[in-house]
Amino acid sequence: GDAVDLARKMANAQVRAVIINTDHRENEKFRRAWGGRVELKPTAFLMELARITRGRYYGLQTVKA
C-alpha cells in the first residue's frame, strides 16, 4: 500500500519514474483476481507501479549459465 501511495504522489507531482526489474519473469506479468482481491506477483507489481507513475518499466531477465 505504501509503495502505491508513493507512486500516486509521484504521478501527481509529475516526477519521472524508471522502474528496472533485474529479475523479470514472464510468468509473473499477470494479475490474479478472486473474490474482489487482486494478487500481484513481483513482476506484475513493478509493472503496476510504472503504470501508476506513468513511467517506464524495463524488465531484465536473469541469464543462467
Side-chain angles (χ1 to χ4, degrees), residues 20-43:
I20 300 173
N21 181 0
T22 59
D23 191 23
H24 176 86
R25 297 174 188 228
E26 283 294 312
N27 64 336
E28 291 184 356
K29 285 182 9 179
F30 306 103
R31 301 169 153 231
R32 280 185 50 199
W34 72 97
R37 293 182 50 101
V38 174
E39 176 188 13
L40 297 175
K41 297 287 186 178
T43 294

Side-chain angles (χ1 to χ4, degrees), residues 13 49 59:
L49 289 181

